[in-house]
Amino acid sequence: MYDPSLSRRDFLAASAGALALSLVETCGPASEVKAGNHHIPEDKNLSKDWLDALFAKGKPKVYKGDELATIGMPIGGICAGQLYMRGDGTLAEWDIFNRDHFTGYGDDCYRTYTPPAPVQQGFGVWVKPRDGEPIHKALDKKDFPRVEFVGEYPLATVRYVRDGDTFPLDITLEAFSPFIPLDARASATPGTVLKFKVKNVSKQPIDARLAGWLQNAVGSGSADRLRGECINTIMHSEGMTSLWFSAKENPAPSPDKIGDPEVFADFEDGTYGDWKKTGDCFGDKPAMGTLPNQQEVTGFGGKYLVNTFVGGDKSTGTLTSPEFTIKRAYIYFKIGGGNHPGKACINLKIDGKVARTATGKNQEKLEWDYWEVSDLKGKKAVLEVVDSETGGWGHINIDDITFGDAPPKGSPVRALKDQPDFGTLALSVLDEKATGRTTELIKLRADTELEKDPKPSTARLGRGTTGAVASSFSLEPGETREVVFLLTWHFPNAEHSRMYANWFVDAIAVAKHVRENLDKLTKQTHQFHDAYYDSTLPHWLLDRLMMPVSTLATSTVQWWKNGRFWAWEGVGCCHGTCTHVWNYAQAVARLFPELERSARTMQDLGPALDPKTGRVAFRGEGQGFQYAADGQCGTVLKSYREHLMSKDGSFLKENWPKIKKVMEYSISRDGAMPDGIIEDNQHNTYDIDFVGPNTFVGALYLAALEAAARMAELQGDKEFASHCRAIAGKGAKWTVDHLWNGEYFTQEIPKGKEDKFQYGDGCLADQVFGQFWADQYDLGYVYPADKIRTALKSAYRYNWAPDIAAQNKEYPPQRWFARPGDAGLFTCTWPKGGRMKEPVLYRDEIWTGIEYQVAAAMIHEGMIREGLSIIRGIHDRYDGKKHNPWNEVECGDHYARALASWACLTALAGFTYDGPAAKLGFAPRWQQDDFKAFFSAAEGWGSLIQKRGKKSQENHIDVRHGRVTLKQLVLEVPDGAIITQTKLTEGERTIDNKMSQDGRVVKIDLAESLALETGKGLTVANRW
């Protein structure tokens, strides 16, 4: 790494005061924007109140009123699907059934909406004062309009605030799924705990009943194609009563009941006949195959088909059949084209309403699809081909519409038991004397609506009715009762199954496991929550840095049955645990390191690795995606991270030959005589190739070289370590000499190369991304410290706008992730001119993942106000009124890049850790006199505490869970402090040690390895 004349520690000591504050302390009257077409003010003109709020401790955020509008906090287990809790305690999204759930490429995600609730569900209370009339209320915002929500992931708290004094109960709900860092199995439980506390606030005794109801949605995604039944059953077991949902498939019709199919429309006469069309997408007649500028269309029958690509994807319209009476059990057809439900589809409509619908698969090949319509026999209907989609794949292909008594021959028919959404679902209450109902619960009123042992009920597949379970109790004035419900699920038929399928056989087994271990799971989840929020950091900041962590409980991530962690970039969008997007994410590695290790060994260093060259396919195996320059370097860096977050050196020992091969591939892109500068085509996270020297890839390359050197030394390969460092040294020097413009690093576009999708003289927010990695894992500086810091100052000055309106008015973004009036950090700007006609893709967008990584780098350099300002801008955008606070989007919901947020926490603590070496360091970048924050290590987690006086400093490591093994500590003391006494104690026991000091850095080597267990702590007292 670069060896600056001014040491890193000395530089921080000299600059962390006046220089760190200079950018924001000049805020005064509004300044003029920079001349020309750069509209980001250097003077941010931030109000004193806004700045004061950055640093104020504050209180837990209580969402109420219109702040509840968009709330959807993930509340299920990690890698177990996606279930939201909305602001009023109702449940939404319900993406637990393994159905493909594409959430959009950008603008589709960044919109204001209330999360949908496709499954009927709710809770309600019935209460009767001894001398009064019964009252019944649903626990939602309709019956409790003053409801309040507090979300501190993984805990959600809903307060059903009474409106007046007529209602005799105070009701509070606490909901969570077990979330215990370092215990991925417990945290991946497919279930949610819902604890209601009910207090009688009246002056007389009351009788009450708390009920939960739920719709049977098992197999609902298969209902249009298969004949089956949903089954609702009440089950009693030790300490618990459960409403258990299952499904079964009905027998197929016998061969003698299957008549010849009837072709309704095949368009082989070359006309639309009596079909009525609107718009311009159908042309004058059916198409004869592939249309101009369309990919090849195959799979249709005969000569003609319906193809709405007439004029391209921009054309729209509808095509409606003559009315007919449904007489056969199946309607089938060939379909291709786009996958845009409701926008590019074929619908079966009855009385003007859509009864069935189907879409293509984003492919031109037509394949058989069908609907099972026996429940609609005798109904009059029409078929409607719809094309209202004008984006990519905005068309639909249809042919050979047929009526029959069985699915079409050649159609991919899978049994219900093999469908993705086949499994079981259960709503349980921890009361074995509870009552229930297996059919529709109309009103929560009389006792006759609920029974001790109601008979099972059935309904047509996909039309499942609701059932209910309820706990009844009496309360004296002032008395409180806790009623606990468990929502559990078991849907193992995902493409690669689910890890939880190794542990449970059905949803009832999940419920029994949670019930039997509820005290432990609750205690440990609360221990994590309390350890995290027991901090000196501002409460808003703790919220914001934790919110993206909830991505682990969404459909962005999967944990396959074979143990492999796999992820989209965002929910349903861009597959393959993409090496370049996941370059930013740090939370998983810190909280559940076994998952990230599996992604290395079972993907990047496994099937994605070309063993001959060392090239890593950036979207994993079998996808045709190859080299991404940033992801290639990131694979080396992640491997080093996974080593550091391990308890021993076994991961590195086993994988070093492959890691070395990955590094060698990056070096091979550095020319025949490697000089630390990659100049060829460099595909990267902006979905384009950079050409020529640049520090976005360059800084990652240098950081990877240092990480590889350290791993090589650990494996005794000193020659390779020296080789890597020699290359890095050359690269750092050349970069400063050629790419540094005095304020920031630029890109050198080779002569004769096009500047399309390059950034040239622009100020790229990500320009020192490699330093972010170096900071997180103690790799030193990739470029001179003063250059790094000045580059970060420039990113704040030229890329961060308190209001993005002016810049985006001049340069509208490809996708909007911030609206006028919002603050945001632009991907790239050209403050000194030189913006090319078509620069780097996404240049005018705002990505939270970049904002977090830049903020973390700033914080690490002591630029606290700048870093917090950027993070606060994110927090203000995702405020509940406009956007879901727990869903930071980019290309899809719950975008993985935002998991960079965790790096801001480790940066604030100045936390470094090396598990195999049992080395831990922390040097708070802020609040040095009184600091407390969460940390996690390879086998344990807890709190880091620092208290500093004029002549002394105490550092505490408190372990709240697991074990933390220590051999060496690295701390920092104030500039000029010369240590005269060091004392280490564990409880009342003094620990022998050897202290050494180099400027502000204090290293303490323990005479013997020390294992701190849960509830134990280590205190380091230094005096000067």
Side-chain angles (χ1 to χ4, degrees), residues 117-352:
V119 178
Q120 297 177 43
Q121 171 275 333
F123 292 95
V125 64
W126 176 93
V127 57
K128 183 182 182 303
R130 296 285 169 84
D131 298 327
E133 294 297 317
I135 304 170
H136 49 89
K137 285 180 176 287
L139 298 179
D140 58 25
K141 62 183 178 182
K142 181 179 179 181
D143 283 2
F144 289 88
R146 296 173 58 200
V147 65
E148 298 177 346
F149 183 89
V150 177
E152 296 179 349
Y153 189 78
L155 302 180
T157 302
V158 183
R159 302 169 186 154
Y160 297 95
V161 179
R162 295 180 302 133
D163 196 358
D165 298 326
T166 58
F167 190 66
L169 301 178
D170 265 350
I171 304 175
T172 301
L173 165 62
E174 179 185 85
F176 66 93
S177 188
F179 189 94
I180 306 158
L182 308 182
D183 190 346
R185 174 170 179 170
S187 302
T189 300
T192 300
V193 179
L194 302 114
K195 290 187 174 184
F196 291 90
K197 287 188 177 180
V198 184
K199 182 178 181 180
N200 181 2
V201 294
S202 73
K203 296 182 179 180
Q204 59 176 308
I206 58 100
D207 296 320
R209 182 165 63 247
L210 188 61
W213 59 87
L214 182 63
Q215 180 186 17
N216 188 339
V218 176
S220 60
S222 310
D224 289 349
R225 294 172 177 81
L226 298 175
R227 296 181 179 185
E229 295 179 344
C230 295
I231 307 167
N232 299 358
T233 307
I234 293 293
M235 302 176 63
H236 295 278
S237 58
E238 182 181 352
M240 183 170 68
T241 300
S242 302
L243 172 63
W244 186 52
F245 292 143
S246 59
K248 69 176 183 178
E249 186 170 359
N250 292 337
S254 60
D256 62 316
K257 300 293 185 181
I258 300 176
D260 293 334
E262 172 191 351
V263 175
F264 179 69
D266 61 8
F267 308 101
E268 284 306 299
D269 64 355
T271 73
Y272 290 119
D274 294 332
W275 289 60
K276 297 179 181 179
K277 62 186 179 72
T278 66
D280 58 354
C281 65
F282 295 96
D284 296 330
K285 62 181 182 179
M288 296 180 68
T290 307
L291 294 172
N293 300 315
Q294 186 177 24
Q295 297 178 33
E296 184 182 6
V297 177
T298 61
F300 58 98
K303 295 182 179 180
Y304 295 94
L305 77 153
V306 176
N307 182 346
T308 70
F309 195 73
V310 175
D313 281 330
K314 296 294 184 182
S315 58
T316 61
T318 63
L319 182 67
T320 306
S321 76
E323 187 177 72
F324 60 93
T325 300
I326 299 175
K327 299 178 180 179
R328 311 287 286 272
Y330 289 87
I331 298 175
Y332 48 93
F333 43 85
K334 291 180 177 178
I335 187 169
N339 181 10
H340 296 286
K343 294 184 176 182
C345 57
I346 182 171
N347 297 326
L348 175 68
K349 299 182 75 173
I350 297 174
D351 296 329

Side-chain angles (χ1 to χ4, degrees), residues 936-955:
S936 58
E939 297 181 282
W941 44 262
S943 297
L944 301 173
I945 304 168
Q946 176 172 295
K947 292 186 179 294
R948 179 182 289 174
K950 291 183 178 180
K951 291 291 185 178
S952 65
Q953 178 175 300
E954 282 195 357
N955 293 79

